[in-house]
Amino acid sequence: MTGRVVVVGYGMAGARLAAELHARGGDRRITVLGAEPHRAYNRIMLSTLLAGKIGEPDVELVEALGPRVDVRIGSSVSAVDRAAREVRTADGGRYGYDHLVLATGSRAAVPPLPGLDPLPDRVVPFRTLADCRRILDVARDARRALVLGGGLLGLEAARGLAARGLDVTVVHPHGHLMERQLDPTAGAVLAGTLTGLGVRARLGVPATRVTADADGVRLHLADGEPLAADLLVLCCGVRPDTALARAAGLAVDRGVVVDDRMRTSDPRISAVGDCAQHDGTLTGLVAPAWTQARVVADVLTGDDEAARYRPRPTVTRLKAAGIDLAAMGDLAGTGDPDGTGPVEELTFADPARGTYARLRIRDERLTGAILLGDNPAVGTVVQLFDRGAPVPADRRALLLGRAVGAPAEPAASPALMPDAAVVCRCNDVTRGALVAGWRAGARSVAALSAATRAATGCGGCRDAVTGIAAWLAEADPPTTDEVRETDADREAVQVS
């Protein structure tokens, strides 16, 4: 394909799409319009920035973009003229397109509570880099913080603020934390772990209103007891940003409706990432957004016109300081509806040690799992779930995180992992791709990350990538010059 491609949105999905298009060559012109006044950044790492573990330069996405890619930051798109095939920006700019891709993402949801319209100075949603800056600005002089929302993002924000020394309380209207991913027992164990890390939880009590003045902010609860703090962070979910698509007359449900090629109801317009709704489902995660970007690039450039988006099972990871959690699959329903055998349920809980494990197995395959706390089998469990591989006969090795027999660790060593095993789910990087990268000259963890993009998404696979690199270093040692490069890159790996 030649011609003009305009990408609206310079977040994680839009930036990846631009890089994918650039990597395929050709003479097309690519224009990326980003509303935020800075380059694309890794939104997943904002909680780490909030905790003070990294600085702002460390969250910036580094994508290879050539001279044919025109990135315009601070360019808010105001309208799409489908008849003229033109995009208009708030500052009067006009950009013609042969194909348009909407990567408008999502916005933080602000609950309809009295006192939040307009937002008081001490109340901040947690979604963007600008939000993170505002939270840090208020937190400098704060002693107490409230986080409204006990989902994944809310807990990451709470842990980050606690790491800065603030007294933090999470307020969640449901009976246990992360109710979409965890069962009540796991939620209770997680709440206990958070308490030990300086984060209290008020559960099962909805908020009713917010009041704020120069002295602080108060969150009023349904049981009549207000909570006072210096800062209130809102982590109440997100809403796909569909305003532009709706105004342009595209089909919109909860998100912009797309088909398997990520095309909207207008074949000249695609949508990817948080704003896209495929087969009735919204993603909200980086891995599917990047897969969608790859599909669009394949189709538009003709590299693979048969490319179609096929969603993969989701694995949720919460890996903050002092917390290690992986949750995946179906734990509340009947498991695999196509399964024929009985469902096995295995659980183990040690609240005193912050450990909980639950496996759901049907027809010798994992249909769901929760692993909370230190469990060395987490990588193996994720691989078994990802590949739909048979579980070992001795289930205790997975449940308790220790090998009880030889068959219990099919992927514990990189040498035993199949090449097709996915190591980095965000970027769909396999063990085979890492080995190939090493043999091609990427002889350090940093070099492997640069060559394959492994560990550049959520960072949850960094330990696995490091382990594979260590195994490769023994099996195929780097040269003296490559060792020097490894030493120079080691510090960069810590914030990759």
Side-chain angles (χ1 to χ4, degrees):
M1 169 188 168
T2 60
R4 304 162 297 172
V5 178
V6 174
V7 181
V8 178
Y10 190 38
M12 297 183 76
R16 175 56 61 88
L17 175 60
E20 293 279 358
L21 290 170
H22 167 70
R24 284 157 174 75
D27 59 356
R28 72 195 63 82
R29 288 174 293 160
I30 304 159
T31 302
V32 185
L33 303 173
E36 295 185 72
H38 33 249
R39 294 188 60 81
Y41 55 90
N42 188 335
R43 198 182 306 277
I44 302 171
M45 300 302 292
L46 290 182
S47 56
T48 309
L49 176 62
L50 196 64
K53 304 297 184 183
I54 59 175
E56 281 195 15
D58 303 318
V59 304
E60 184 174 311
L61 289 176
V62 181
E63 296 283 8
L65 302 177
R68 291 180 296 103
V69 181
D70 182 17
V71 176
R72 296 178 177 263
I73 60 175
S75 295
S76 177
V77 175
S78 56
V80 173
D81 186 335
R82 292 168 53 196
R85 296 211 300 271
E86 183 180 77
V87 168
R88 300 168 188 165
T89 58
D91 59 6
R94 292 172 178 263
Y95 302 88
Y97 66 84
D98 295 300
H99 197 87
L100 174 66
V101 183
L102 300 178
T104 50
S106 55
R107 299 179 181 274
V110 177
L113 297 178
L116 292 183
D117 187 14
L119 287 176
D121 291 338
R122 294 175 181 270
V123 180
V124 190
F126 185 34
R127 178 64 180 164
T128 67
L129 180 57
D131 294 336
C132 194
R133 288 171 176 170
R134 283 188 59 203
I135 292 170
L136 290 174
D137 186 54
V138 178
R140 286 188 187 95
D141 300 318
R143 293 184 300 106
R144 297 169 298 172
L146 298 172
V147 176
L148 184 57
L152 183 66
L153 187 62
L155 298 187
E156 289 180 345
R159 185 68 188 101
L161 291 170
R164 289 184 174 270
L166 275 69
D167 182 350
V168 182
T169 299
V170 174
V171 178
H172 195 51
H174 300 279
H176 66 278
L177 299 170
M178 293 182 62
E179 76 285 349
R180 293 184 179 179
Q181 296 87 13
L182 304 183
D183 57 34
T185 304
V189 174
L190 179 57
T193 299
L194 287 166
T195 300
L197 296 171
V199 177
R200 290 186 297 274
R202 285 291 305 274
L203 304 172
V205 182
T208 57
R209 63 189 175 101
V210 175
T211 56
D213 53 35
D215 295 327
V217 59
R218 288 163 297 282
L219 183 64
H220 299 262
L221 305 180
D223 61 6
E225 180 184 350
L227 299 176
D230 307 299
L231 166 67
L232 171 60
V233 178
L234 302 179
C235 297
C236 304
V238 296
R239 298 289 183 271
D241 193 343
T242 60
L244 198 63
R246 193 180 299 275
L250 299 176
V252 174
D253 185 20
R254 292 178 299 151
V256 184
V257 177
V258 297
D259 61 15
D260 289 350
R261 295 184 297 171
M262 305 310 296
R263 298 287 177 96
T264 69
S265 53
D266 183 334
R268 290 187 177 271
I269 303 178
S270 300
V272 295
D274 287 6
C275 70
Q277 179 178 323
H278 173 267
D279 197 22
T281 302
L282 301 168
T283 64
L285 299 172
V286 63
W290 283 349
T291 300
Q292 292 169 3
R294 186 165 60 249
V295 169
V296 171
D298 282 340
V299 172
L300 288 185
T301 61
D303 272 17
D304 182 4
E305 294 183 354
R308 298 294 184 269
Y309 173 63
R310 295 290 183 263
R312 295 175 53 191
T314 299
V315 177
T316 300
R317 297 298 299 265
L318 172 61
K319 196 171 179 63
I323 307 172
D324 195 351
L325 168 66
M328 64 209 78
D330 173 32
L331 288 162
T334 59
D336 179 6
D338 298 325
T340 57
V343 174
E344 295 180 52
E345 288 275 3
L346 299 92
T347 60
F348 172 78
D350 186 353
R353 298 176 184 271
T355 301
Y356 178 79
R358 178 180 173 189
L359 305 177
R360 190 177 178 90
I361 301 169
R362 188 168 191 173
D363 295 335
E364 296 299 307
R365 266 71 173 173
L366 277 171
T367 62
I370 299 173
L371 297 175
L372 174 60
D374 183 17
N375 190 322
V378 63
T380 301
V381 171
V382 172
Q383 288 293 331
L384 290 171
F385 177 74
D386 235 3
R387 289 155 38 210
V391 296
D394 190 340
R395 314 313 202 210
R396 292 172 295 174
L398 300 179
L399 192 66
L400 305 178
R402 60 181 177 83
V404 183
E409 296 189 29
S413 166
L416 300 178
M417 292 174 64
D419 280 346
V422 176
V423 178
C424 174
R425 290 177 58 86
C426 292
N427 290 287
D428 198 24
V429 180
T430 63
R431 181 261 202 190
L434 290 169
V435 172
W438 180 276
R439 291 173 178 167
R443 298 297 186 104
S444 69
V445 179
L448 280 174
S449 291
T452 65
R453 289 179 169 147
T456 62
C458 71
C461 67
R462 189 174 297 118
D463 291 346
V465 175
T466 301
I468 290 173
W471 164 69
L472 287 168
E474 291 184 8
D476 183 13
T479 66
T480 302
D481 289 340
E482 289 166 340
V483 169
R484 291 195 186 102
E485 178 185 352
T486 301
D487 291 338
D489 287 344
R490 186 168 289 116
E491 183 176 346
V493 174
Q494 301 306 314
V495 296
S496 62

